[in-house]
Amino acid sequence: MSARPTLRVLGCSGSYPGPESPASSYVLEAPFDDGTGERTWRVVVDLGSGALSNLQRWSDPLGVDAVLISHLHADHCLDLCGYYVMRKYHPTGQQPMIPVWGPEDTAGRMARAYDLPEEPGMSEEFDFLDWADAPAEGVRVGPFTVHTRAVDHPVLAYGMRIEVDGAVLAYTGDTGPCPQLTELARDADVLLAEASFREGDVNPPNLHLTAAECGTLATEAGVQHLVLTHIPPWYEKAPQVDEARSTFGGGRISLAEPGMLVEL
């Protein structure tokens, strides 16, 4: 068991699965003793199109303690459908219910996506919880404490700040530039930031970040390690690193890749 919490990239392709990666999904793991003995706790952050395959490759899909959904676009949530089937019909029996935190109507969205009646939908497998109802002190899942802020996207979307064992992971989700991101990323050990756009292009407003904007955010927030993710398959990834480096000179920059393991 790792002595430090880890972030594993399951999928990092922006907007749809690419030839080398599923869409957005990440697993956080950390050892923790909740009074019943130490074990590895796992939270899945987003479960986009195709990501369930890599959840099975690099983690224990039946050992997940919670799923945290940033927003309800398919590239961030749609593999909950397959995960529902796995947990409901697994040969070892129906698995225990786990919490799924997400925006308003996550339960209805997922039921419709799998063509289920909304009652009961997937509510016998997942305990759907609304980020809007999260306690002020944050959502606790074993060793993890999660704070969210609504960010700037065409649908209701949340960025996350996840604290575990003295370390902080900030996750932008999908968003245009907004002040909430600096609050979420303040002094983070790792900033997982979407870099869907490029500087110099005519980019739609209120939708995504450029790599340079990710670098600026990391500088303003005092981040140690910037991990660029959610780059669409139509762009080369390496130039995004160079662009981010032009605005973030004080720390480490990495490109998210499937299977990548980051120690917090």
Side-chain angles (χ1 to χ4, degrees):
M1 188 178 294
S2 173
R4 294 294 303 159
T6 58
L7 167 72
R8 172 83 72 176
V9 177
L10 303 180
C12 54
S13 183
S15 299
Y16 60 91
E20 298 175 352
S21 176
S24 296
S25 188
Y26 315 90
V27 175
L28 278 166
E29 297 189 351
F32 182 66
D33 187 344
D34 65 351
T36 61
E38 185 175 280
R39 65 175 179 87
T40 297
W41 286 68
R42 297 178 180 88
V43 294
V44 172
V45 179
D46 282 341
L47 194 57
S49 310
L52 183 58
S53 60
N54 280 345
L55 178 61
Q56 296 169 81
R57 177 176 296 177
W58 288 308
S59 192
D60 176 2
L62 300 183
V64 171
D65 294 287
V67 180
L68 315 176
I69 299 296
S70 65
H71 67 291
L72 297 178
H73 280 156
D75 60 317
H76 291 259
C77 71
L78 199 58
D79 266 27
L80 271 173
C81 291
Y83 195 41
Y84 152 80
V85 173
M86 178 188 289
R87 297 191 69 90
K88 184 176 182 67
Y89 296 109
H90 197 274
T92 59
Q94 183 165 336
Q95 303 300 300
M97 183 181 292
I98 60 171
V100 174
W101 284 89
E104 180 183 10
D105 196 38
T106 298
R109 170 76 166 84
M110 299 319 304
R112 295 189 295 273
Y114 202 63
D115 200 23
L116 296 170
E118 292 195 23
E119 293 295 336
M122 300 180 184
S123 62
E124 294 175 349
E125 292 70 37
F126 301 131
D127 180 15
F128 288 101
L129 299 161
D130 190 335
W131 286 124
D133 298 326
E137 62 272 20
V139 170
R140 289 295 306 272
V141 182
F144 304 101
T145 301
V146 187
H147 294 272
T148 59
R149 294 290 183 273
V151 291
D152 192 7
H153 204 54
V155 300
L156 180 59
Y158 291 88
M160 303 180 197
R161 181 182 177 90
I162 304 174
E163 301 169 2
V164 53
D165 195 22
V168 174
L169 167 73
Y171 175 46
T172 64
D174 283 9
T175 178
C178 58
Q180 300 92 296
L181 294 175
T182 304
E183 179 184 356
L184 289 168
R186 180 71 62 198
D187 297 324
D189 296 276
V190 176
L191 170 60
L192 184 62
E194 67 109 323
S196 303
F197 288 160
R198 302 181 303 181
E199 290 293 315
D201 292 347
V202 179
N203 297 313
N206 314 110
L207 187 59
H208 290 299
L209 299 170
T210 67
E213 287 167 339
C214 293
T216 298
L217 170 61
T219 296
E220 292 176 347
V223 168
Q224 294 184 30
H225 184 186
L226 171 62
V227 180
L228 300 176
T229 191
H230 201 275
I231 298 172
W234 53 62
Y235 288 146
E236 293 292 328
K237 290 185 174 183
Q240 296 294 76
V241 175
D242 295 335
E243 184 178 305
R245 198 174 303 281
S246 71
T247 55
F248 179 54
R252 180 182 173 194
I253 301 176
S254 300
L255 272 174
E257 298 287 352
M260 176 182 181
L261 190 66
V262 178
E263 188 173 278
L264 301 182

